[in-house]
Amino acid sequence: MQTQPANALAFGDRLAQSESGGNYGARNEFGYSGKYQFGQDRLDDFNRVAGYSLTTDDLMASPELQEKVFQWHISDIDRAIDENGLTSLGYSRDALRSVAHL
């Protein structure tokens, strides 16, 4: 897994505040869980790539795991942004990350 640029970390702080108020134990009525509000579908994507079999309950039990999944999540989004040349169209990386996260 590659190291995230500093702006990815600032983005993560803003995203966490928006999604859960920074609360690792947050769970919404739709089953999205943790600090970054991941659902099982996105965890399944992570599981396929990383060779895990995590559930949202597993995620809720570990702040460290939530951060690991978040780092992968942003790396995956950034890869797609770069492969598609989207920032060259004038969109900011953080705006594209926000749309992709939703």
Coordinates of all heavy atoms in Angstrom, one line a residue:
M1 N 0.9 -1.2 0.0 CA 0.0 0.0 0.0 C 0.9 1.2 0.0 O 1.8 1.3 0.8 CB -0.9 0.0 1.2 CG -1.9 1.0 1.2 SD -3.1 1.0 2.6 CE -3.7 -0.7 2.5
Q2 N 0.6 2.2 -0.9 CA 1.4 3.4 -0.9 C 1.0 4.4 0.1 O -0.1 4.4 0.6 CB 1.3 4.0 -2.4 CG -0.1 4.5 -2.7 CD -0.2 4.8 -4.1 OE1 -0.9 4.2 -4.8 NE2 0.5 5.8 -4.6
T3 N 2.0 5.3 0.4 CA 1.8 6.3 1.4 C 0.9 7.4 0.8 O 1.1 7.7 -0.4 CB 3.1 6.9 1.8 OG1 3.9 5.9 2.4 CG2 3.0 8.0 2.9
Q4 N 0.0 7.9 1.6 CA -0.9 9.0 1.1 C -0.3 10.4 1.2 O 0.4 10.7 2.1 CB -2.2 9.0 1.9 CG -3.0 7.7 1.7 CD -3.4 7.5 0.3 OE1 -3.9 8.3 -0.3 NE2 -3.0 6.3 -0.2
P5 N -0.5 11.2 0.2 CA 0.0 12.6 0.3 C -0.7 13.3 1.4 O -1.8 12.9 1.9 CB -0.4 13.2 -1.1 CG -1.4 12.3 -1.7 CD -1.2 10.9 -1.0
A6 N -0.1 14.4 1.9 CA -0.6 15.1 3.0 C -2.1 15.6 2.8 O -2.9 15.6 3.7 CB 0.3 16.3 3.4
N7 N -2.4 16.0 1.6 CA -3.8 16.4 1.4 C -4.8 15.3 1.5 O -5.9 15.5 1.8 CB -3.9 17.1 0.0 CG -3.7 16.2 -1.2 OD1 -3.2 15.1 -1.1 ND2 -4.1 16.7 -2.3
A8 N -4.4 14.0 1.3 CA -5.3 12.9 1.6 C -5.6 12.8 3.0 O -6.7 12.5 3.4 CB -4.7 11.6 1.1
L9 N -4.6 13.1 3.9 CA -4.9 13.1 5.3 C -5.8 14.2 5.7 O -6.8 14.0 6.5 CB -3.6 13.1 6.1 CG -2.6 12.0 5.8 CD1 -1.3 12.2 6.6 CD2 -3.2 10.7 6.2
A10 N -5.6 15.4 5.2 CA -6.5 16.5 5.5 C -7.9 16.2 5.0 O -8.9 16.4 5.7 CB -6.0 17.8 4.9
F11 N -8.0 15.6 3.8 CA -9.3 15.2 3.3 C -10.0 14.2 4.2 O -11.2 14.3 4.5 CB -9.2 14.6 1.9 CG -10.4 14.0 1.4 CD1 -11.4 14.8 0.9 CD2 -10.6 12.6 1.4 CE1 -12.6 14.3 0.4 CE2 -11.8 12.1 1.0 CZ -12.8 12.9 0.5
G12 N -9.2 13.2 4.7 CA -9.8 12.2 5.6 C -10.3 12.8 6.9 O -11.4 12.4 7.4
D13 N -9.7 13.8 7.4 CA -10.2 14.5 8.6 C -11.5 15.2 8.3 O -12.4 15.1 9.1 CB -9.2 15.5 9.1 CG -7.9 14.9 9.7 OD1 -7.9 13.7 10.1 OD2 -6.9 15.7 9.7
R14 N -11.6 15.8 7.2 CA -12.8 16.5 6.8 C -13.9 15.5 6.5 O -15.1 15.7 7.0 CB -12.6 17.4 5.6 CG -11.7 18.6 5.9 CD -11.6 19.6 4.8 NE -11.3 19.1 3.5 CZ -10.1 18.9 3.0 NH1 -9.1 19.2 3.7 NH2 -10.0 18.3 1.8
L15 N -13.6 14.4 5.9 CA -14.6 13.4 5.6 C -15.1 12.8 6.8 O -16.3 12.6 7.0 CB -14.0 12.3 4.7 CG -14.9 11.2 4.3 CD1 -16.1 11.7 3.4 CD2 -14.2 10.1 3.6
A16 N -14.2 12.5 7.8 CA -14.6 11.9 9.0 C -15.6 12.8 9.8 O -16.6 12.3 10.4 CB -13.4 11.5 9.9
Q17 N -15.3 14.1 9.8 CA -16.2 15.0 10.5 C -17.5 15.0 9.9 O -18.6 15.1 10.6 CB -15.5 16.4 10.6 CG -14.4 16.6 11.6 CD -14.9 16.2 13.0 OE1 -15.9 16.7 13.5 NE2 -14.1 15.3 13.6
S18 N -17.6 15.0 8.6 CA -18.8 15.0 7.9 C -19.6 13.8 8.0 O -20.9 13.8 8.2 CB -18.6 15.3 6.4 OG -19.7 15.2 5.6
E19 N -19.0 12.6 8.0 CA -19.6 11.3 8.0 C -20.1 10.9 9.4 O -21.2 10.4 9.6 CB -18.7 10.2 7.4 CG -18.5 10.4 6.0 CD -19.7 10.0 5.1 OE1 -20.8 9.7 5.7 OE2 -19.6 10.1 3.9
S20 N -19.2 11.1 10.4 CA -19.5 10.6 11.8 C -19.1 11.5 12.9 O -19.2 11.0 14.1 CB -18.7 9.3 11.9 OG -17.3 9.6 12.0
G21 N -18.7 12.7 12.6 CA -18.2 13.5 13.7 C -16.8 13.0 14.2 O -16.4 13.3 15.3
G22 N -16.2 12.1 13.4 CA -14.9 11.5 13.9 C -15.1 10.4 14.8 O -14.1 9.9 15.4
N23 N -16.3 9.8 14.9 CA -16.6 8.8 15.9 C -16.4 7.4 15.2 O -17.2 7.0 14.3 CB -18.0 8.9 16.3 CG -18.5 7.9 17.3 OD1 -17.7 7.0 17.7 ND2 -19.7 8.0 17.7
Y24 N -15.4 6.6 15.7 CA -15.2 5.3 15.2 C -16.4 4.3 15.5 O -16.5 3.3 14.8 CB -13.9 4.7 15.9 CG -12.6 5.3 15.3 CD1 -11.9 6.1 16.1 CD2 -12.1 4.9 14.1 CE1 -10.7 6.7 15.7 CE2 -11.0 5.5 13.6 CZ -10.2 6.3 14.4 OH -9.1 6.9 14.0
G25 N -17.2 4.6 16.5 CA -18.3 3.8 16.8 C -19.6 4.1 16.2 O -20.6 3.5 16.5
A26 N -19.6 5.1 15.3 CA -20.9 5.5 14.6 C -21.4 4.4 13.7 O -20.7 3.8 13.0 CB -20.6 6.8 13.9
R27 N -22.7 4.3 13.7 CA -23.4 3.4 12.7 C -24.7 4.1 12.4 O -25.5 4.5 13.3 CB -23.7 2.1 13.3 CG -24.3 1.1 12.3 CD -24.4 -0.3 12.7 NE -23.0 -0.8 12.7 CZ -22.7 -2.1 13.0 NH1 -23.6 -3.0 13.3 NH2 -21.4 -2.5 12.9
N28 N -25.0 4.3 11.1 CA -26.2 5.0 10.8 C -27.4 4.0 10.5 O -27.1 2.7 10.5 CB -26.0 5.9 9.6 CG -25.9 5.3 8.3 OD1 -26.2 4.1 8.0 ND2 -25.4 6.1 7.3
E29 N -28.5 4.5 10.2 CA -29.7 3.6 10.1 C -29.6 2.7 8.9 O -30.4 1.7 8.7 CB -31.0 4.5 10.0 CG -31.0 5.4 8.8 CD -32.1 6.4 8.8 OE1 -33.2 6.0 8.4 OE2 -31.9 7.5 9.2
F30 N -28.7 3.0 7.9 CA -28.6 2.2 6.7 C -27.5 1.1 6.8 O -27.2 0.4 5.9 CB -28.3 3.1 5.5 CG -29.4 4.1 5.3 CD1 -29.2 5.4 5.6 CD2 -30.7 3.8 4.9 CE1 -30.2 6.4 5.5 CE2 -31.7 4.7 4.8 CZ -31.4 6.0 5.1
G31 N -26.8 1.1 8.0 CA -25.8 0.1 8.2 C -24.4 0.6 7.9 O -23.4 -0.2 8.0
Y32 N -24.2 1.8 7.5 CA -22.9 2.3 7.2 C -22.2 2.6 8.6 O -22.8 3.1 9.5 CB -22.9 3.6 6.4 CG -23.4 3.3 5.0 CD1 -24.8 3.4 4.7 CD2 -22.5 2.9 4.0 CE1 -25.2 3.1 3.4 CE2 -23.0 2.6 2.7 CZ -24.3 2.7 2.4 OH -24.8 2.4 1.2
S33 N -21.0 2.2 8.7 CA -20.3 2.0 10.0 C -19.0 2.7 10.1 O -18.2 2.8 9.1 CB -20.2 0.6 10.3 OG -21.4 -0.1 10.3
G34 N -18.7 3.2 11.3 CA -17.4 3.6 11.6 C -17.1 5.1 11.3 O -18.0 5.8 10.9
K35 N -15.9 5.5 11.5 CA -15.5 6.9 11.3 C -15.8 7.4 9.9 O -16.2 8.6 9.8 CB -14.0 7.0 11.7 CG -13.4 8.4 11.6 CD -12.0 8.3 12.0 CE -11.3 9.7 11.9 NZ -9.9 9.6 12.3
Y36 N -15.6 6.6 8.9 CA -15.8 7.0 7.5 C -17.1 6.5 6.9 O -17.3 6.7 5.7 CB -14.6 6.6 6.7 CG -13.3 7.1 7.3 CD1 -12.4 6.3 8.0 CD2 -12.9 8.4 7.1 CE1 -11.3 6.7 8.6 CE2 -11.7 8.9 7.7 CZ -10.9 8.1 8.4 OH -9.8 8.6 8.9
Q37 N -17.9 5.7 7.7 CA -19.2 5.3 7.2 C -19.1 4.4 6.0 O -19.7 4.6 5.0 CB -20.1 6.4 7.0 CG -20.5 7.2 8.3 CD -21.3 6.4 9.2 OE1 -22.5 6.2 9.0 NE2 -20.7 5.8 10.3
F38 N -18.3 3.3 6.2 CA -18.3 2.3 5.1 C -19.4 1.3 5.2 O -19.8 0.9 6.3 CB -16.9 1.5 5.2 CG -15.8 2.3 4.8 CD1 -14.8 2.6 5.7 CD2 -15.6 2.8 3.5 CE1 -13.7 3.3 5.4 CE2 -14.5 3.5 3.1 CZ -13.5 3.8 4.1
G39 N -19.9 0.8 4.1 CA -20.9 -0.2 4.0 C -20.3 -1.5 3.6 O -19.1 -1.6 3.3
Q40 N -21.0 -2.6 3.7 CA -20.5 -3.9 3.4 C -20.0 -4.0 2.0 O -19.1 -4.7 1.7 CB -21.5 -5.0 3.8 CG -21.0 -6.4 3.7 CD -19.8 -6.6 4.7 OE1 -19.9 -6.4 5.9 NE2 -18.7 -7.1 4.2
D41 N -20.7 -3.3 1.1 CA -20.3 -3.4 -0.3 C -18.9 -2.9 -0.5 O -18.1 -3.6 -1.3 CB -21.2 -2.7 -1.3 CG -22.6 -3.3 -1.4 OD1 -22.7 -4.5 -1.1 OD2 -23.5 -2.7 -1.9
R42 N -18.5 -1.8 0.1 CA -17.2 -1.3 -0.1 C -16.2 -2.2 0.7 O -15.1 -2.4 0.2 CB -17.1 0.2 0.4 CG -15.8 0.8 0.1 CD -15.5 0.8 -1.4 NE -14.4 1.7 -1.8 CZ -13.6 1.5 -2.8 NH1 -13.9 0.5 -3.7 NH2 -12.6 2.3 -3.1
L43 N -16.6 -2.7 1.8 CA -15.7 -3.7 2.5 C -15.5 -4.9 1.7 O -14.4 -5.5 1.7 CB -16.3 -4.1 3.9 CG -16.2 -3.1 5.0 CD1 -16.9 -3.6 6.2 CD2 -14.8 -2.8 5.3
D44 N -16.5 -5.3 0.9 CA -16.3 -6.5 0.0 C -15.3 -6.2 -1.0 O -14.5 -7.1 -1.4 CB -17.6 -6.9 -0.6 CG -18.6 -7.5 0.4 OD1 -18.2 -7.9 1.5 OD2 -19.8 -7.6 0.0
D45 N -15.2 -4.9 -1.5 CA -14.2 -4.5 -2.5 C -12.8 -4.7 -1.8 O -11.9 -5.2 -2.4 CB -14.4 -3.1 -2.9 CG -15.6 -2.9 -3.8 OD1 -16.2 -3.9 -4.4 OD2 -16.1 -1.7 -3.8
F46 N -12.7 -4.1 -0.6 CA -11.4 -4.2 0.1 C -11.1 -5.7 0.4 O -9.9 -6.1 0.2 CB -11.6 -3.5 1.5 CG -10.4 -3.6 2.4 CD1 -9.2 -2.9 2.2 CD2 -10.4 -4.5 3.4 CE1 -8.1 -3.1 3.0 CE2 -9.3 -4.7 4.2 CZ -8.2 -4.0 4.0
N47 N -12.0 -6.5 0.8 CA -11.8 -7.9 1.1 C -11.2 -8.6 -0.2 O -10.3 -9.4 0.0 CB -13.1 -8.6 1.5 CG -13.5 -8.2 2.9 OD1 -12.7 -7.8 3.7 ND2 -14.8 -8.4 3.2
R48 N -11.8 -8.4 -1.3 CA -11.3 -9.0 -2.6 C -9.8 -8.6 -2.8 O -9.0 -9.5 -3.2 CB -12.2 -8.6 -3.8 CG -13.4 -9.4 -3.9 CD -14.1 -9.2 -5.3 NE -14.6 -7.8 -5.4 CZ -15.7 -7.4 -4.8 NH1 -16.5 -8.2 -4.2 NH2 -16.1 -6.1 -5.0
V49 N -9.5 -7.4 -2.7 CA -8.1 -6.9 -3.0 C -7.1 -7.3 -1.9 O -6.0 -7.8 -2.2 CB -8.1 -5.4 -3.1 CG1 -6.7 -4.8 -3.2 CG2 -8.9 -4.9 -4.3
A50 N -7.5 -7.3 -0.6 CA -6.6 -7.5 0.5 C -6.6 -8.9 1.0 O -5.8 -9.3 1.8 CB -6.9 -6.5 1.6
G51 N -7.6 -9.7 0.5 CA -7.6 -11.1 1.0 C -8.2 -11.3 2.4 O -7.9 -12.2 3.1
Y52 N -9.1 -10.3 2.8 CA -9.8 -10.4 4.1 C -11.2 -10.9 3.9 O -11.7 -11.1 2.7 CB -9.8 -9.0 4.7 CG -8.5 -8.5 5.3 CD1 -7.6 -7.8 4.5 CD2 -8.2 -8.7 6.6 CE1 -6.4 -7.4 5.0 CE2 -7.0 -8.2 7.1 CZ -6.1 -7.5 6.3 OH -5.0 -7.1 6.8
S53 N -11.9 -11.1 5.0 CA -13.3 -11.3 4.9 C -14.0 -10.6 6.1 O -14.7 -11.1 6.9 CB -13.6 -12.8 5.1 OG -13.0 -13.3 6.3
L54 N -13.8 -9.3 6.0 CA -14.3 -8.4 7.1 C -15.8 -8.1 6.9 O -16.3 -8.0 5.8 CB -13.6 -7.0 7.0 CG -12.1 -7.1 7.2 CD1 -11.5 -5.7 7.0 CD2 -11.7 -7.6 8.6
T55 N -16.4 -7.9 8.1 CA -17.8 -7.4 8.1 C -17.8 -6.0 8.7 O -16.8 -5.6 9.3 CB -18.7 -8.3 9.0 OG1 -18.2 -8.2 10.3 CG2 -18.6 -9.8 8.5
T56 N -18.9 -5.3 8.7 CA -19.0 -4.0 9.3 C -18.8 -4.2 10.8 O -18.3 -3.3 11.5 CB -20.3 -3.3 9.0 OG1 -21.4 -4.1 9.3 CG2 -20.4 -2.9 7.5
D57 N -19.2 -5.3 11.4 CA -19.0 -5.5 12.8 C -17.5 -5.6 13.1 O -17.0 -5.1 14.1 CB -19.7 -6.8 13.3 CG -21.2 -6.6 13.4 OD1 -21.7 -5.5 13.5 OD2 -21.9 -7.6 13.4
D58 N -16.7 -6.3 12.3 CA -15.3 -6.3 12.4 C -14.7 -4.9 12.4 O -13.8 -4.6 13.2 CB -14.6 -7.2 11.3 CG -15.0 -8.6 11.4 OD1 -15.3 -9.2 12.4 OD2 -15.1 -9.2 10.3
L59 N -15.2 -4.2 11.4 CA -14.7 -2.8 11.3 C -15.0 -2.0 12.5 O -14.1 -1.2 13.0 CB -15.4 -2.2 10.0 CG -14.8 -0.9 9.5 CD1 -13.4 -1.1 8.9 CD2 -15.7 -0.3 8.5
M60 N -16.1 -2.1 13.1 CA -16.5 -1.3 14.2 C -15.6 -1.7 15.4 O -15.4 -0.8 16.3 CB -18.0 -1.6 14.6 CG -19.0 -1.1 13.6 SD -19.1 0.7 13.6 CE -20.0 0.9 15.1
A61 N -15.1 -2.8 15.5 CA -14.3 -3.3 16.6 C -12.9 -2.8 16.6 O -12.2 -2.9 17.6 CB -14.3 -4.8 16.7
S62 N -12.5 -2.1 15.5 CA -11.0 -1.8 15.4 C -10.8 -0.4 14.7 O -10.9 -0.4 13.4 CB -10.3 -2.9 14.6 OG -9.0 -2.5 14.3
P63 N -10.5 0.6 15.4 CA -10.1 1.9 14.8 C -8.9 1.7 13.8 O -8.9 2.4 12.8 CB -9.8 2.8 16.0 CG -10.6 2.2 17.1 CD -10.6 0.8 16.9
E64 N -8.0 0.9 14.2 CA -6.8 0.7 13.3 C -7.3 0.1 12.0 O -6.8 0.5 10.9 CB -5.8 -0.2 14.0 CG -5.2 0.4 15.2 CD -6.0 0.2 16.5 OE1 -7.0 -0.6 16.5 OE2 -5.7 0.9 17.5
L65 N -8.2 -0.8 12.0 CA -8.7 -1.4 10.8 C -9.5 -0.4 10.0 O -9.4 -0.4 8.7 CB -9.6 -2.6 11.1 CG -10.0 -3.5 10.0 CD1 -8.8 -4.0 9.2 CD2 -10.8 -4.7 10.5
Q66 N -10.2 0.4 10.6 CA -11.0 1.5 9.9 C -10.0 2.4 9.2 O -10.2 2.8 8.0 CB -11.8 2.3 10.9 CG -13.0 1.5 11.4 CD -13.9 2.4 12.3 OE1 -14.2 3.5 12.0 NE2 -14.4 1.8 13.4
E67 N -8.9 2.7 9.8 CA -7.9 3.6 9.1 C -7.2 2.8 8.0 O -7.0 3.4 6.9 CB -6.8 4.1 10.1 CG -7.4 5.0 11.2 CD -8.0 6.3 10.7 OE1 -7.6 6.7 9.6 OE2 -8.9 6.8 11.3
K68 N -7.0 1.6 8.1 CA -6.4 0.8 7.0 C -7.3 0.7 5.8 O -6.9 0.9 4.7 CB -6.1 -0.7 7.5 CG -5.4 -1.5 6.5 CD -5.0 -2.9 7.1 CE -4.3 -3.7 6.1 NZ -3.6 -4.8 6.7
V69 N -8.6 0.5 6.1 CA -9.6 0.4 5.0 C -9.7 1.8 4.3 O -9.7 1.9 3.1 CB -10.9 -0.1 5.5 CG1 -12.0 0.1 4.4 CG2 -10.8 -1.5 5.9
F70 N -9.7 2.9 5.2 CA -9.7 4.2 4.6 C -8.5 4.5 3.7 O -8.7 5.0 2.6 CB -9.8 5.3 5.7 CG -9.7 6.7 5.2 CD1 -10.7 7.2 4.5 CD2 -8.5 7.4 5.3 CE1 -10.6 8.5 4.0 CE2 -8.4 8.7 4.8 CZ -9.4 9.2 4.1
Q71 N -7.3 4.1 4.1 CA -6.2 4.4 3.3 C -6.3 3.6 2.0 O -6.0 4.2 0.9 CB -4.9 4.0 4.0 CG -4.5 4.9 5.2 CD -4.3 6.3 4.8 OE1 -3.6 6.6 3.8 NE2 -4.9 7.2 5.5
W72 N -6.7 2.4 2.0 CA -7.0 1.7 0.8 C -8.0 2.3 -0.1 O -7.9 2.5 -1.3 CB -7.4 0.2 1.1 CG -7.8 -0.4 -0.2 CD1 -7.1 -1.0 -1.2 CD2 -9.2 -0.5 -0.6 NE1 -7.9 -1.5 -2.2 CE2 -9.2 -1.2 -1.9 CE3 -10.4 -0.1 -0.1 CZ2 -10.3 -1.4 -2.6 CZ3 -11.6 -0.4 -0.8 CH2 -11.5 -1.0 -2.1
H73 N -9.1 2.7 0.5 CA -10.2 3.4 -0.2 C -9.8 4.6 -0.9 O -10.1 4.8 -2.1 CB -11.3 3.7 0.9 CG -12.5 4.5 0.5 ND1 -13.4 4.0 -0.4 CD2 -12.9 5.7 0.8 CE1 -14.4 4.9 -0.6 NE2 -14.1 5.9 0.1
I74 N -9.0 5.5 -0.3 CA -8.5 6.7 -0.9 C -7.5 6.3 -2.0 O -7.6 6.9 -3.1 CB -7.9 7.7 0.1 CG1 -9.0 8.2 1.0 CG2 -7.2 8.8 -0.6 CD1 -10.2 8.9 0.3
S75 N -6.7 5.4 -1.8 CA -5.7 4.9 -2.8 C -6.5 4.4 -4.1 O -6.1 4.7 -5.2 CB -4.8 3.8 -2.3 OG -3.9 4.3 -1.3
D76 N -7.5 3.7 -3.8 CA -8.3 3.1 -4.9 C -9.0 4.2 -5.7 O -9.0 4.2 -6.9 CB -9.3 2.1 -4.4 CG -10.1 1.4 -5.4 OD1 -9.4 0.8 -6.3 OD2 -11.3 1.3 -5.4
I77 N -9.6 5.2 -5.0 CA -10.2 6.3 -5.6 C -9.2 7.1 -6.4 O -9.4 7.5 -7.6 CB -10.9 7.2 -4.6 CG1 -12.2 6.5 -4.1 CG2 -11.3 8.6 -5.2 CD1 -12.8 7.2 -2.9
D78 N -8.0 7.4 -5.8 CA -7.0 8.2 -6.5 C -6.5 7.5 -7.7 O -6.2 8.1 -8.8 CB -5.8 8.5 -5.5 CG -6.1 9.6 -4.6 OD1 -7.2 10.3 -4.7 OD2 -5.3 9.8 -3.6
R79 N -6.4 6.2 -7.7 CA -5.9 5.4 -8.9 C -6.9 5.6 -10.0 O -6.5 5.9 -11.1 CB -5.8 3.9 -8.5 CG -5.4 3.0 -9.7 CD -5.7 1.6 -9.4 NE -7.0 1.3 -8.8 CZ -8.1 1.3 -9.5 NH1 -8.1 1.5 -10.8 NH2 -9.3 1.0 -8.9
A80 N -8.2 5.6 -9.7 CA -9.2 5.8 -10.7 C -9.2 7.2 -11.3 O -9.3 7.4 -12.5 CB -10.6 5.4 -10.2
I81 N -9.0 8.2 -10.4 CA -8.9 9.6 -10.8 C -7.7 9.7 -11.8 O -7.9 10.3 -12.9 CB -8.7 10.5 -9.6 CG1 -10.1 10.6 -8.8 CG2 -8.3 11.9 -10.0 CD1 -9.9 11.2 -7.4
D82 N -6.6 9.2 -11.4 CA -5.4 9.3 -12.2 C -5.5 8.6 -13.6 O -5.1 9.1 -14.6 CB -4.2 8.8 -11.5 CG -3.8 9.7 -10.3 OD1 -4.3 10.9 -10.2 OD2 -3.1 9.3 -9.4
E83 N -6.0 7.3 -13.5 CA -6.2 6.6 -14.7 C -7.1 7.2 -15.8 O -7.0 7.1 -17.0 CB -6.7 5.2 -14.4 CG -5.7 4.2 -13.8 CD -6.3 2.9 -13.4 OE1 -7.5 2.6 -13.6 OE2 -5.5 2.1 -12.9
N84 N -8.1 8.0 -15.3 CA -9.0 8.6 -16.1 C -8.7 10.1 -16.4 O -9.5 10.7 -17.1 CB -10.5 8.5 -15.5 CG -10.9 7.0 -15.6 OD1 -11.2 6.5 -16.7 ND2 -10.9 6.4 -14.5
G85 N -7.6 10.6 -15.9 CA -7.2 12.0 -16.2 C -8.2 13.0 -15.7 O -8.3 14.1 -16.3
L86 N -8.9 12.8 -14.7 CA -10.0 13.7 -14.3 C -9.5 15.0 -13.7 O -10.2 16.0 -13.9 CB -10.9 13.0 -13.3 CG -11.6 11.7 -13.8 CD1 -12.4 11.0 -12.7 CD2 -12.5 12.0 -15.0
T87 N -8.4 15.0 -13.1 CA -7.9 16.3 -12.6 C -7.5 17.3 -13.7 O -7.6 18.5 -13.6 CB -6.8 16.2 -11.6 OG1 -5.7 15.5 -12.2 CG2 -7.2 15.5 -10.3
S88 N -7.2 16.7 -14.9 CA -6.8 17.5 -16.0 C -8.0 18.2 -16.6 O -7.9 19.2 -17.4 CB -6.1 16.7 -17.1 OG -7.0 15.8 -17.7
L89 N -9.2 17.8 -16.2 CA -10.4 18.4 -16.6 C -10.8 19.6 -15.8 O -11.9 20.3 -16.0 CB -11.6 17.4 -16.7 CG -11.4 16.2 -17.6 CD1 -12.5 15.2 -17.4 CD2 -11.3 16.7 -19.0
G90 N -10.0 19.9 -14.8 CA -10.2 21.1 -13.9 C -10.9 20.7 -12.6 O -11.2 21.6 -11.8
Y91 N -11.2 19.5 -12.3 CA -11.8 19.1 -11.1 C -10.8 18.9 -10.0 O -9.7 18.4 -10.3 CB -12.6 17.8 -11.2 CG -13.7 17.8 -12.2 CD1 -13.5 17.0 -13.4 CD2 -14.8 18.5 -12.1 CE1 -14.5 17.0 -14.4 CE2 -15.8 18.5 -13.0 CZ -15.7 17.8 -14.2 OH -16.7 17.8 -15.1
S92 N -11.1 19.3 -8.8 CA -10.1 19.1 -7.7 C -10.2 17.7 -7.3 O -11.2 17.0 -7.3 CB -10.4 20.0 -6.5 OG -11.5 19.5 -5.7
R93 N -9.0 17.2 -6.8 CA -8.9 15.8 -6.4 C -9.9 15.6 -5.2 O -10.6 14.5 -5.1 CB -7.5 15.5 -6.0 CG -7.3 14.0 -5.6 CD -5.8 13.7 -5.5 NE -5.1 13.8 -6.7 CZ -5.1 12.8 -7.6 NH1 -5.7 11.6 -7.4 NH2 -4.4 12.9 -8.8
D94 N -10.0 16.5 -4.2 CA -10.8 16.3 -3.1 C -12.3 16.3 -3.5 O -13.1 15.5 -2.9 CB -10.6 17.3 -2.0 CG -9.3 17.1 -1.2 OD1 -8.7 16.0 -1.4 OD2 -9.0 17.9 -0.4
A95 N -12.7 17.1 -4.5 CA -14.1 17.0 -4.9 C -14.4 15.7 -5.6 O -15.4 15.1 -5.3 CB -14.3 18.1 -5.9
L96 N -13.5 15.2 -6.4 CA -13.6 13.8 -7.0 C -13.7 12.7 -5.9 O -14.5 11.8 -6.0 CB -12.6 13.6 -8.0 CG -12.6 14.5 -9.2 CD1 -11.3 14.4 -10.0 CD2 -13.8 14.2 -10.1
R97 N -12.8 12.9 -4.9 CA -12.8 11.9 -3.8 C -14.2 11.9 -3.1 O -14.7 10.8 -2.8 CB -11.7 12.2 -2.8 CG -10.3 11.9 -3.3 CD -9.3 12.5 -2.3 NE -8.0 12.1 -2.6 CZ -6.9 12.7 -2.0 NH1 -7.1 13.7 -1.2 NH2 -5.7 12.3 -2.3
S98 N -14.7 13.1 -2.9 CA -16.0 13.2 -2.2 C -17.1 12.5 -3.0 O -17.9 11.8 -2.4 CB -16.3 14.7 -2.0 OG -15.4 15.3 -1.1
V99 N -17.1 12.8 -4.3 CA -18.2 12.1 -5.1 C -18.0 10.6 -5.1 O -19.0 9.9 -5.0 CB -18.1 12.7 -6.5 CG1 -19.0 11.9 -7.5 CG2 -18.5 14.2 -6.5
A100 N -16.8 10.2 -5.3 CA -16.5 8.7 -5.3 C -16.9 8.1 -4.0 O -17.4 7.0 -4.0 CB -15.1 8.5 -5.7
H101 N -16.6 8.7 -2.9 CA -16.9 8.2 -1.6 C -18.4 7.9 -1.4 O -18.9 6.9 -0.9 CB -16.4 9.1 -0.4 CG -16.8 8.5 0.9 ND1 -16.1 7.4 1.5 CD2 -17.7 8.9 1.8 CE1 -16.7 7.2 2.7 NE2 -17.6 8.1 2.9
L102 N -19.2 8.9 -1.9 CA -20.6 8.7 -1.8 C -21.2 7.7 -2.7 O -22.1 7.0 -2.5 CB -21.3 10.1 -2.1 CG -21.0 11.2 -1.1 CD1 -21.7 12.5 -1.5 CD2 -21.5 10.7 0.3

